Amino acid sequence: MASASGPSAAGFSSVDPGGPSCTSSSASGNKRAMASEVPYAPGMSIKKIGHRGVDSSGETTYKKTTSSALKGAIQLGITHTVGSLSTKPERDVLMQDFYVVESIFFPSEGSNLTPAHHYNDFRFKTYAPVAFRYFRELFGIRPDDYLYSLCSEPLIELCNSGASGSLFYVSSDDEFIIKTVQHKEAEFLQKLLPGYYMNLNQNPRTLLPKFYGLYCVQAGGKNIRIVVMNNLLPRSVKMHIKYDLKGSTYKRRASQKEREKPLPTLKDLDFLQDIPDGLFLDADMYNALCKTLQRDCLVLQSFKIMDYSLLMSIHNIDHAQREPSAHETLYSVDTRKPAPQKALYSTAMESIQGEARRGGTMETEDHLGGIPARNSKGERLLLYIGIIDILQSYRFVKKLEHSWKALVHDGDTVSVHRPGFYAERFQRFMCNTVFKKIPFQPSWKSLKLKSQSSPNEQKTSEDLEPDSVSMMSRCQPLPQ
């Protein structure tokens, strides 16, 4: 239910927030972008993509509303809706809660319920407020933390928002992504809410997107729908490589234009070429990851959802330690904010196995939310992953697209496929090709590379430790 800069953003997508921000504004979003904040270089051709465009001053617009006005409206609206919700007693979620829509008018001069502001009049709608409050609580997000993250500092606009025509914002503390969505996407999410609720209660460990709120800003006669969700790729951790994986090989290679970006989004054929041996995980971690993928795919299949991807960004610890700015990758501490309650399932590690970091086979150091892994060279990696683009229902158009492609290509290799086959192929590719299990469980710290050992060094069979190369050669794929 979360790609950008490469992957299709037809469904709810997560972008790489490590890219440059487009504009800045005051804490309330009141300032228009200055000349230095123009998101496009002078002389650069500007074309409208979907509802996203650029006005005469160079500021990004969406449905003719400037980005600064939209950010301000979002912060005003969320502040009001979360505040009013806090006055309502907590209770169990009822079926009718999924269909409630609350609306509040924000005139620029202010009212008894709303403050004055510097934008045009707008109306703010909140969908299923009680249900989303429950989701936030389930993910360990307190109302004051939610408000602080989204409304106390300027939202940061992301430039590398792909071909969907959507706008993406990230909260200043890196916790949340806000994305504009089309009417059909918002409508589909509303229909999914009861099933989403049931799935989270049964399987709170999930790689599916975490939805925290669905809202609509009505401005200038237009409806601008937005969704708030988890941020998969923290800007505070330098990513060295990124993949959008579907388990399909038909045309699944990044374009030359994509490869010219600072952090391109590569695809399945690129992964097979770059990392042919796959990525190696501790046995417990591998089992937890594949079990989570299996459960999530079953849920998506039950809703006839397909064409989703696994977004995976890789931080190479060994490379980072050799880089001059390695210390800058650590989180900075905001002393103005009280120590927050940590979100229970917001990181990749916690999405698959909350207790894994305390297991006997894992290092106890802070992994910054990433899943620890190794490549065939034995280099230490942190994986940041999540399932994205899940709002692809297998409707008539998709059936037609697959039938046409299958006439000229092997039908089993194209990305668009019936949901059951798609889910099975997706799981098989991830758990047999992308991720591999180390067949035994030595401590990561005991692994030594051959290149680090002296060629004259003699070892007995008792003290010989398994090196990463021989370890990788004995890895077996998951049984079919």
Side-chain angles (χ1 to χ4, degrees):
M1 304 184 206
S3 137
S5 67
S8 164
F12 289 132
S13 307
S14 173
V15 301
D16 172 18
S21 59
C22 291
T23 61
S24 62
S25 61
S26 66
S28 60
N30 291 347
K31 292 183 181 179
R32 287 184 58 85
M34 304 299 289
S36 61
E37 298 164 349
V38 173
Y40 300 91
M44 184 177 180
S45 60
I46 298 173
K47 64 178 181 179
K48 192 171 183 290
I49 303 176
H51 295 296
R52 188 178 76 228
V54 179
D55 67 8
S56 58
S57 70
E59 184 176 6
T60 309
T61 63
Y62 189 84
K63 292 187 177 181
K64 299 183 179 180
T65 295
T66 62
S67 181
S68 57
L70 179 57
K71 287 189 289 185
I74 290 171
Q75 291 184 318
L76 285 169
I78 290 179
T79 298
H80 180 273
T81 188
V82 173
S84 63
L85 193 61
S86 65
T87 64
K88 299 178 182 178
E90 294 189 14
R91 57 172 175 80
D92 292 338
V93 178
L94 306 175
M95 181 57 71
Q96 57 262 35
D97 290 327
F98 298 114
Y99 309 104
V100 170
V101 181
E102 294 184 350
S103 179
I104 181 73
F105 183 60
F106 284 82
S108 58
E109 66 273 14
S111 68
N112 292 335
L113 298 175
T114 63
H117 55 84
H118 301 289
Y119 318 112
N120 293 328
D121 298 351
F122 68 92
R123 181 172 293 277
F124 192 83
K125 292 185 176 182
T126 304
Y127 296 88
V130 172
F132 278 108
R133 176 175 69 177
Y134 175 83
F135 296 149
R136 293 194 295 268
E137 290 173 353
L138 188 64
F139 293 128
I141 299 172
R142 300 178 305 198
D144 54 342
D145 286 341
Y146 188 64
L147 275 179
Y148 185 94
S149 293
L150 290 173
C151 303
S152 67
E153 296 289 339
L155 296 172
I156 301 167
E157 182 182 341
L158 302 177
C159 287
N160 54 344
S161 50
S164 67
S166 295
L167 289 185
F168 288 85
Y169 302 117
V170 62
S171 61
S172 59
D173 62 0
D174 241 13
E175 287 291 330
F176 303 105
I177 286 282
I178 297 177
K179 182 196 174 189
T180 59
V181 295
Q182 297 183 24
H183 172 65
K184 287 188 177 296
E185 295 176 298
E187 188 177 61
F188 190 58
L189 175 57
Q190 285 178 274
K191 291 178 180 178
L192 283 180
L193 285 180
Y196 185 71
Y197 170 85
M198 183 176 68
N199 178 56
L200 287 182
N201 276 300
Q202 294 176 345
N203 302 308
R205 306 292 176 188
T206 177
L207 288 167
L208 297 178
K210 282 80 172 176
F211 291 118
Y212 303 135
L214 178 64
Y215 309 101
C216 178
V217 176
Q218 288 185 322
K222 302 286 186 180
N223 289 313
I224 303 175
R225 297 170 180 86
I226 63 166
V227 65
V228 181
M229 50 192 173
N230 61 311
N231 179 12
L232 285 180
L233 310 180
R235 291 177 299 133
S236 51
V237 179
K238 179 176 181 179
M239 302 300 173
H240 294 93
I241 192 167
K242 183 173 60 162
Y243 293 97
D244 176 281
L245 304 172
K246 292 180 182 287
S248 165
T249 55
Y250 176 66
K251 288 191 175 181
R252 293 293 296 164
R253 192 182 297 279
S255 66
Q256 185 58 41
K257 181 179 179 181
E258 178 67 27
R259 290 174 177 275
E260 293 171 359
K261 296 179 180 179
L263 183 65
T265 303
L266 306 176
K267 299 184 179 180
D268 300 67
L269 290 174
D270 302 306
F271 182 90
L272 293 174
Q273 177 179 306
D274 301 340
I275 315 179
D277 296 324
L279 300 167
F280 298 90
L281 279 68
D282 167 89
D284 289 341
M285 194 65 63
Y286 172 87
N287 292 335
L289 173 57
C290 289
K291 184 178 180 180
T292 301
L293 286 170
Q294 182 181 27
R295 283 198 309 250
D296 288 343
C297 286
L298 191 61
V299 171
L300 296 174
Q301 181 182 338
S302 71
F303 284 106
K304 293 183 169 52
I305 294 171
M306 47 156 297
D307 211 27
Y308 43 86
S309 303
L310 185 80
L311 181 68
M312 177 172 65
S313 203
I314 302 175
H315 171 74
N316 190 309
I317 297 174
D318 293 336
H319 284 188
Q321 288 181 345
R322 293 193 294 267
E323 293 167 353
S325 58
H327 65 281
E328 295 177 2
T329 64
L330 299 177
Y331 285 97
S332 59
V333 178
D334 187 350
T335 56
R336 296 169 298 173
K337 182 182 179 182
Q341 177 179 324
K342 192 171 187 179
L344 295 177
Y345 314 116
S346 60
T347 68
M349 167 76 90
E350 291 161 339
S351 291
I352 64 168
Q353 190 178 15
E355 304 300 315
R357 67 182 61 194
R358 289 187 284 276
T361 62
M362 294 298 304
E363 293 178 333
T364 56
E365 63 191 55
D366 186 4
H367 294 296
L368 300 178
I371 298 172
R374 298 263 178 164
N375 58 20
S376 59
K377 298 177 183 178
E379 294 172 329
R380 297 169 299 158
L381 312 173
L382 291 178
L383 310 181
Y384 295 83
I385 62 175
I387 295 175
I388 62 171
D389 292 341
I390 73 165
L391 295 189
Q392 292 295 332
S393 220
Y394 193 60
R395 296 181 295 269
F396 173 74
V397 173
K398 287 297 179 182
K399 291 180 182 178
L400 190 65
E401 181 182 348
H402 176 259
S403 300
W404 175 79
K405 286 181 176 179
L407 289 175
V408 290
H409 299 282
D410 177 6
D412 289 352
T413 66
V414 300
S415 66
V416 180
H417 225 293
R418 59 189 182 278
F421 180 94
Y422 191 94
E424 181 183 350
R425 185 185 62 186
F426 183 88
Q427 291 177 66
R428 187 170 61 246
F429 183 73
M430 300 308 162
C431 293
N432 288 5
T433 304
V434 177
F435 305 112
K436 302 286 181 69
K437 177 167 58 174
I438 301 172
F440 48 86
Q441 300 181 0
S443 168
W444 284 117
K445 293 180 179 179
S446 70
L447 298 178
K448 294 184 178 180
L449 300 178
K450 284 181 176 179
S451 59
Q452 294 175 339
S453 301
S454 169
N456 299 322
E457 182 179 354
Q458 298 296 320
K459 292 185 179 180
T460 67
S461 59
E462 287 79 11
D463 61 15
L464 183 65
E465 293 178 331
D467 63 86
S468 61
V469 177
S470 63
M471 172 189 68
M472 306 311 176
S473 67
R474 291 201 295 275
C475 290
Q476 298 298 320
L478 190 69
Q480 296 295 318

